[in-house]
């Protein structure tokens, strides 16, 4: 028998890249590849790249420099190693990657990774293969499905892509240029994927997309379904106990999605809803297509539908033209909304975006100072939100053994880690946990039911937060 070839994937950035990496593994499995955690003994190394953050491409080139040494060492041992660059940096800088890193064998954009087997063969014959176009055919129709063993090995939580691309064209964002226009998968295909996951032990599902609540897929009735109706269909699949989605745009929150949060017990009351700034002037310069009051109104609609709902968000400080007054408007918005968590970043220009041509008016020192002030406020809100759960009983979906012997870790409805001393047979169950204490961002507690209980508890949440 031919020994398996070893595959090592390093993913950067978003949840979509985590999902894409898994699908690359599934696509290459029929070609005889098995995953390895070691770069040194890999026959194929794939860098699955992200272009959102500052110096993203430079990090890739730095990694490629290290891989060149590993590849040369493999050649001296008589072993051929191939290197592939996938993802958004590959899409944006295909020819530049080949010019700067001739050790790379394959460059493939995120819409074409289902072509990896043929690209690797072409590179073996011709020395190199590049594909960074946006193919007309839907890649999901060509991807190999994960094997049952692979699904079970990945655990009880899974991502499913339902939508890709973005039509919003925020001036700071490269996604429309690297992921393309918005495309939604048909409902029937998504249901097929989710049933396969549920049949193999997946209990929690996160629907992902660059602009996931812009989902507008074809339903089995021939009509266009929104995200709310899709969530309703998936909630009916046996075995799926929890549903989530990410990442959303305030402009695409419709009545159907609000109703889903009101009506579906399986839909978790935790929404990631990026706003980026609290200043209308900066939001306009970002081409966000909403105002701060529009955002507040969306938050109010969610809270009217479900009182225990909580939010996370994204913020950029130091966008070109941002004044102290603009920044104070962001602090005011954060203070008013109150977040369970949030991600904040200093502005960094992405080549090829409209904002890259804007004059930067905020000094690096001022950016640092504003980011520190914002993060201090966000951290205080997150700390207060977490501390409010101490002494209450919350439902936890248990995922895996923790680092400490005898401990099992799971997550609350709000994605907070919770640790208890218990048997591993509770993995995959939703059980009530009395929260005793908080260590940094993780809860310590005890099961609020006898430890021999094996039946999943209700998925409703009682946090008292």
């Amino acid at each position: 028998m031919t020994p398996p070839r070893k595959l090592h994937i390093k993913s950067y950035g978003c949840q979509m890249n985590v999902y894409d990496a898994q699908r690359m593994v599934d696509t290459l499995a029929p070609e005889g590849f098995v995953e390895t955690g070691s770069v040194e003994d890999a026959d194929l190394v794939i860098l699955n790249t992200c272009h959102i953050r500052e110096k993203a491409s430079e990090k890739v080139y730095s990694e490629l420099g290290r891989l060149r040494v590993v590849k040369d060492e493999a050649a001296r041992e008589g072993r051929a190693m191939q290197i592939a660059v996938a993802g958004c940096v590959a899409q944006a800088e295909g020819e530049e990657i080949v010019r700067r890193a001739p050790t790379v064998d394959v460059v493939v954009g995120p819409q074409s990774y289902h072509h990896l087997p043929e690209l690797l063969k072409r590179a073996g014959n011709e020395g190199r293969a590049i594909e960074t176009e946006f193919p007309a055919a839907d890649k999901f129709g060509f991807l190999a499905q994960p094997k049952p063993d692979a699904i079970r090995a990945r655990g009880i939580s899974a991502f499913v892509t339902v939508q890709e691309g973005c039509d919003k064209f925020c001036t700071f964002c490269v996604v429309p240029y690297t992921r393309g226009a918005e495309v939604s998968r048909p409902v029937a295909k998504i249901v097929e994927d989710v049933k396969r996951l549920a049949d193999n032990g997946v209990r929690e599902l996160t629907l992902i997309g660059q602009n996931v609540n812009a989902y507008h897929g074809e339903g089995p009735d021939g009509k266009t379904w929104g995200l709310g109706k899709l969530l309703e269909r998936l909630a009916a699949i046996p075995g799926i106990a929890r549903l989530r989605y990410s990442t959303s745009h305030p402009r695409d929150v419709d009545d159907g999605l609000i109703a889903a949060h009101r009506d579906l017990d399986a839909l978790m009351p935790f929404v990631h809803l990026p706003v980026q700034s609290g200043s209308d002037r900066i939001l306009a310069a970002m081409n966000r297509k909403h105002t701060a009051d529009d955002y507040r109104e969306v938050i109010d609609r969610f809270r009217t539908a479900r009182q225990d709902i909580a939010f996370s968000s994204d913020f950029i400080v130091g966008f070109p033209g941002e004044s102290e007054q603009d920044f104070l408007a962001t602090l005011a918005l954060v203070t008013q909304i109150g977040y369970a968590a949030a991600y904040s970043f200093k502005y960094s220009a992405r080549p090829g975006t409209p904002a890259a041509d804007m004059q930067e008016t905020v000094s690096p020192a001022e950016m640092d100072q504003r980011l520190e002030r914002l993060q201090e406020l966000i951290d205080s809100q997150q700390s207060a939100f977490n501390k409010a759960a101490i002494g209450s009983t919350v439902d936890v979906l248990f995922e895996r053994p923790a680092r400490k012997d005898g401990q099992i870790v799971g997550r609350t409805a709000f994605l907070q880690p919770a640790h208890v001393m218990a048997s591993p047979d509770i993995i995959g169950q939703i059980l009530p946990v009395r929260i005793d204490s908080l260590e940094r961002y993780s809860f310590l507690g005890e099961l609020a039911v006898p430890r021999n209980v094996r039946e999943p508890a209700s998925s409703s949440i009682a946090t008292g937060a």
Side-chain angles (χ1 to χ4, degrees):
M1 293 179 60
T2 303
R5 293 183 286 176
K6 295 182 180 180
L7 163 65
H8 179 84
I9 299 184
K10 181 174 183 178
S11 281
Y12 304 77
C14 65
Q15 292 173 328
M16 185 76 81
N17 271 11
V18 175
Y19 176 84
D20 284 353
Q22 292 177 348
R23 300 312 298 269
M24 283 188 252
V25 171
D26 299 333
T27 297
L28 291 169
E31 306 297 315
F33 283 97
V34 296
E35 279 191 276
T36 176
S38 170
V39 171
E40 284 71 19
D41 64 354
D43 300 291
L44 170 62
V45 177
I46 301 176
L47 300 184
N48 191 24
T49 62
C50 176
H51 208 267
I52 295 296
R53 302 294 169 226
E54 184 178 10
K55 299 180 181 178
S57 58
E58 292 307 314
K59 292 177 182 177
V60 173
Y61 292 120
S62 177
E63 185 68 21
L64 288 172
R66 289 189 285 270
L67 288 177
R68 177 181 57 80
V69 176
V70 177
K71 185 176 183 177
D72 289 346
E73 179 62 28
R76 284 191 288 270
E77 296 172 356
R79 183 168 54 87
M81 172 190 283
Q82 288 184 298
I83 298 174
V85 179
C88 291
V89 173
Q91 185 73 41
E93 303 188 21
E95 295 294 339
E96 179 70 3
I97 290 171
V98 170
R99 186 186 69 81
R100 291 183 56 176
T103 191
V104 171
D105 301 280
V106 171
V107 178
V108 56
Q111 304 307 319
S112 301
Y113 61 73
H114 55 300
H115 292 156
L116 264 171
E118 61 190 72
L119 292 171
L120 292 168
K121 291 173 185 175
R122 192 198 314 166
N125 294 329
E126 302 174 11
R128 186 170 292 117
I130 303 176
E131 184 168 330
T132 55
E133 301 300 318
F134 290 102
D138 175 15
K139 69 181 180 185
F140 292 98
F142 299 92
L143 290 168
Q145 295 298 333
K147 302 293 185 185
D149 287 348
I151 295 173
R152 289 191 287 269
R154 290 167 185 166
I156 63 163
S157 298
F159 297 126
V160 172
T161 294
V162 301
Q163 178 272 344
E164 284 197 272
C166 186
D167 295 343
K168 294 295 186 290
F169 288 92
C170 298
T171 56
F172 56 83
C173 185
V174 299
V175 166
Y177 313 103
T178 59
R179 289 279 182 170
E182 290 177 356
V183 177
S184 296
R185 299 180 63 201
V187 172
K189 295 294 186 182
I190 297 168
V191 169
E192 182 181 318
D193 285 354
V194 173
K195 285 182 175 179
R196 183 181 300 105
L197 294 170
D199 287 345
N200 289 282
V202 169
R203 300 274 282 140
E204 179 180 63
L205 201 67
T206 301
L207 309 185
I208 56 175
Q210 273 78 36
N211 192 15
V212 69
N213 61 330
Y215 177 80
H216 54 278
E218 181 184 0
D221 55 3
K223 298 179 180 179
T224 299
W225 285 26
L227 183 61
K229 193 168 184 178
L230 173 65
L231 286 163
E232 182 181 0
R233 174 65 185 89
L234 299 181
I237 295 176
I240 298 300
R242 287 184 169 183
L243 291 168
R244 305 180 187 275
Y245 59 90
S246 187
T247 292
S248 305
H249 193 287
R251 279 290 298 272
D252 292 315
V253 176
D254 61 13
D255 291 342
L257 185 56
I258 297 293
H261 277 280
R262 182 192 65 213
D263 299 336
L264 300 179
D265 289 339
L267 181 55
M268 294 296 94
F270 188 43
V271 177
H272 184 62
L273 192 65
V275 63
Q276 306 301 352
S277 175
S279 162
D280 287 348
R281 195 174 69 84
I282 296 302
L283 289 170
M286 290 176 168
N287 194 35
R288 287 289 292 171
K289 299 182 175 69
H290 64 81
T291 65
D293 280 345
D294 292 336
Y295 184 83
R296 292 183 180 96
E297 181 183 351
V298 171
I299 296 290
D300 288 344
R301 290 166 62 202
F302 274 116
R303 284 178 167 158
T304 299
R306 183 158 183 174
Q307 293 183 350
D308 65 343
I309 202 163
F311 299 92
S312 61
S313 193
D314 292 343
F315 295 92
I316 295 173
V317 303
F319 190 81
E322 183 188 68
S323 66
E324 175 67 12
Q325 200 65 31
D326 294 319
F327 177 68
L328 290 175
T330 297
L331 294 182
L333 179 71
V334 174
T335 300
Q336 181 179 1
I337 300 298
Y339 289 99
Y343 305 93
S344 51
F345 308 93
K346 293 182 292 184
Y347 170 75
S348 61
R350 302 266 58 80
T353 61
D357 295 327
M358 298 179 184
Q359 182 178 358
E360 295 190 32
T361 58
V362 184
S363 70
E366 184 66 17
M367 280 196 201
D368 288 339
Q369 193 259 357
R370 290 180 185 176
L371 184 64
E372 183 178 353
R373 291 160 64 190
L374 176 60
Q375 290 182 339
E376 182 178 351
L377 175 58
I378 291 168
D379 288 347
S380 69
Q381 291 184 345
Q382 182 173 6
S383 177
F385 182 82
N386 289 340
K387 287 178 180 178
I390 296 175
S392 67
T393 297
V394 306
D395 279 358
V396 173
L397 173 57
F398 288 97
E399 298 178 346
R400 55 181 171 79
R403 293 180 181 177
K404 183 177 179 180
D405 287 345
Q407 267 190 353
I408 307 298
V409 63
R411 291 187 182 270
T412 72
F414 306 105
L415 289 177
Q416 301 142 309
H419 297 73
V420 301
M421 299 299 294
S423 167
D425 63 7
I426 70 170
I427 292 173
Q429 295 186 40
I430 298 173
L431 298 173
V433 173
R434 187 180 67 251
I435 302 300
D436 296 328
S437 62
L438 176 68
E439 289 189 1
R440 290 182 62 82
Y441 301 106
S442 297
F443 291 134
L444 298 179
E446 293 186 6
L447 291 177
V449 293
R451 295 187 182 184
N452 61 355
V453 171
R454 293 176 178 270
E455 291 300 317
S458 166
S459 63
S460 62
I461 304 301
T463 64

